[in-house]
Amino acid sequence: MKAAVWHGVKDVRVEEVELKPTKSNEVVVRVAYAGICGSDLHEYLEGPVFIPVDQPDELTGGQAPLTMGHEFSGVIEKIGADVTQYKVGDHVSINPTITKGNVPDDVDVYDGYSFIGLSTDGGFTSHVNVPEDSLYRLPEDFSMKLAATIEPTAVAVQAVKEGGLRFGEKVVIFGAGPIGVLVAAAAKAAGATKIVAVDLSEVRLNKALEMGATDIVNPSQVNDTVAAIKNIIPGGADVSFEVAGVQPTFEQAIDATRPRGTMVIVSIFARPITFNPMQLMNAGVKLTTTIAYSKETFQQTVDLVSSGQIDVAPVITDTIELDDIVTDGFESLTHDKSQAKIIVDLSK
């Protein structure tokens, strides 16, 4: 079978691979669609970031070279001897996080985790082994293509939950990339009445509006970004989301949040930033962070997306073939900022 295999920086090869033996607690999923994540792009441009190279991953035993892809949906084709909750033919979404499972669900991911598609073979191929605990059943009439967006949407849902957002509150989102616009969609579903998206790209800001933002601010077109936000939300946002991962937006997110409001860091910062705690203290803003999602959140996201309460369709900006994943996938995401979520069609 063909797979997109990571070998090194800017060295992802579509090549023939063999499916490894299926363990007793695993199923074989026939992949339908798989999304390209920002994490995949980081691995392509500057990896290894998460991909284990020098020694096998502690939780999965995986090691480079490995098949990428952790946002995917598919149909079960084979079940292991110990699998009890699923059957051949079930349509499934995959939670790619592999955890130790030694602590409660809400803190489990913070006890150490690995990823299918980054720590072991993933979904940029036709067939993949998936542990039963990572499977989430989908309605059979739900689009498998839309289901490939459930994983990044779960990141957004977890971020909104982390912010403690309540009905009628107002939010600001710094960064209108794929996760940022999905945060807008999740905030809308959670009952936010004002959703301000901030980005330098007009294309991305328009996508944010399509996904649920009520207002937009382009810092290149205003004298004072925070003042522009407070003109829309007097007094500041109840919850702000930092999804850009750079120093200016980190500082602006604090200043754009009301006293005793909450700022949620969603970004994976590529490099350290400086931070004066007094800026936070003088603003009376509570700072929190989020990474990935709990199992509960993933199931909630499956329900929200498959029921249409979160409309994920606008986030998909292109659908490509596996053979073109480097040129039309990784390179396109690198150079074309109009792209949000590119989906690889593996259903043929």
Side-chain angles (χ1 to χ4, degrees), residues 23 25 225:
K23 299 175 183 178
N25 70 324
T225 299

Side-chain angles (χ1 to χ4, degrees), residues 139-158:
E140 291 198 5
D141 60 351
F142 183 66
S143 164
M144 298 292 271
K145 184 175 179 179
L146 295 183
T149 70
I150 286 174
E151 193 276 342
T153 307
V155 174
V157 171
Q158 187 70 56

Side-chain angles (χ1 to χ4, degrees), residues 254-255 259-260 275-287:
I254 296 173
D255 292 340
R260 308 310 297 157
F275 172 46
N276 181 356
M278 290 308 299
Q279 182 193 7
L280 194 69
M281 294 170 67
N282 288 334
V285 171
K286 294 171 282 186
L287 175 65

Side-chain angles (χ1 to χ4, degrees), residues 166 169 235-239 254-262 283-285:
R166 293 179 292 188
E169 291 192 327
D238 297 291
V239 186
I254 296 173
D255 292 340
T257 307
R258 67 166 175 80
R260 308 310 297 157
T262 302
V285 171

Side-chain angles (χ1 to χ4, degrees), residues 14 31 40 91 161 185 204 263 322 347:
V14 178
V31 181
D40 298 324
H91 291 206
K161 290 173 64 176
R204 287 187 166 188
M263 171 186 167
L322 181 63
S347 64

Side-chain angles (χ1 to χ4, degrees), residues 26-256:
E26 294 179 331
V27 307
V28 177
V29 172
R30 172 69 169 89
V31 181
Y33 294 90
I36 301 177
C37 177
S39 299
D40 298 324
L41 187 60
H42 280 299
E43 295 291 355
Y44 173 72
L45 293 174
E46 58 204 38
V49 180
F50 297 105
I51 292 176
V53 173
D54 297 328
Q55 59 186 13
D57 179 76
E58 177 185 359
L59 294 179
T60 67
Q63 187 174 4
L66 57 78
T67 301
M68 301 179 75
H70 61 271
E71 303 176 358
F72 61 101
S73 61
V75 180
I76 295 176
E77 281 202 354
K78 176 184 176 182
I79 61 172
D82 295 333
V83 173
T84 60
Q85 302 301 311
Y86 294 86
K87 66 183 185 303
V88 172
D90 281 347
H91 291 206
V92 290
S93 175
I94 289 79
N95 177 343
T97 55
I98 305 294
T99 63
K100 298 173 185 176
N102 295 329
V103 294
D105 182 41
D106 62 333
V107 293
D108 189 24
V109 73
Y110 298 103
D111 191 38
Y113 64 92
S114 298
F115 258 83
I116 296 170
L118 289 173
S119 308
T120 188
D121 289 331
F124 289 153
T125 186
S126 61
H127 294 80
V128 58
N129 293 317
V130 178
E132 181 178 22
D133 287 347
S134 295
L135 301 171
Y136 290 73
R137 190 173 284 103
L138 295 168
E140 291 198 5
D141 60 351
F142 183 66
S143 164
M144 298 292 271
K145 184 175 179 179
L146 295 183
T149 70
I150 286 174
E151 193 276 342
T153 307
V155 174
V157 171
Q158 187 70 56
V160 168
K161 290 173 64 176
E162 186 67 33
L165 183 65
R166 293 179 292 188
F167 281 103
E169 291 192 327
K170 301 171 178 63
V171 308
V172 59
I173 303 163
F174 289 87
I179 297 298
V181 298
L182 286 168
V183 169
K188 179 182 178 181
T193 55
K194 279 287 184 183
I195 302 169
V196 181
V198 182
D199 202 285
L200 291 166
S201 167
E202 286 296 315
V203 172
R204 287 187 166 188
L205 289 173
N206 287 331
K207 180 61 66 175
L209 288 170
E210 193 178 359
M211 295 291 291
T214 59
D215 300 86
I216 55 175
V217 172
N218 187 328
S220 69
Q221 298 178 7
V222 297
N223 293 325
D224 185 326
T225 299
V226 173
I229 293 166
K230 289 188 175 180
N231 188 51
I232 301 168
I233 307 176
D238 297 291
V239 186
S240 64
F241 298 92
E242 204 300 310
V243 204
V246 293
Q247 179 93 38
T249 54
F250 179 88
E251 295 174 354
Q252 290 166 357
I254 296 173
D255 292 340

